[in-house]
Amino acid sequence: MIREVLTYPNPKLRTVSHDVAEFDENLHVLLDDMYETMINKNGVGLAAIQIGVALNILVINPVNEEGEQKKEDLLEVINPQIVESDGVIIFQEGCLSVPSVYEDVERFQKIKVKFFDRFGNEHVEIYEDFIAVALQHEIDHLRGHLFIEKLSYLKRKKFEKEWKKRAKEKT
Ligand code: CO
């Protein structure tokens, strides 16, 4: 089922999510809904809090070199913890909760992440570049943070001004 995606400045997006305890059918339905919602909105990543569920769950589905977004490349990440990080990368990020805004953000280039899959199996993996960036972006959501918080003071000001103007135009 496609769910509604919360957008900035909805205060629910600032919620700190908590760990999943039961790897059951409810979790699987939620993961399937997150995937469907992300694809429907043309996203490459989604955190559960973006559909109003305060659980440490995220999905990432990268676009491959042929420009296709294949379900076999879907990454489902539950209760993630970054255990090591290294290097610096600047990448242009966007977010389904802040539609049509794309800004350069600095992140770790490489991270080692401990997480669980939908069946409760533990994984420890190293990710680099796009996946590392996407994971850090989504894990920020789980802690109640948005990528716009990482912009410089001036860029943030400019964003707030344009966002307010856009909100006014919509009403
Ligand atoms: Co986002």
Side-chain angles (χ1 to χ4, degrees), residues 50 95 137 141:
Q50 293 181 274
C95 181
H137 175 115
H141 275 296

Side-chain angles (χ1 to χ4, degrees), residues 45-47 50 93-98 134 137-138 141 145-147:
L46 190 76
Q50 293 181 274
E93 297 185 21
C95 181
L96 292 177
S97 293
V98 195
H137 175 115
E138 301 309 334
H141 275 296
H145 296 295
L146 295 174
F147 80 108

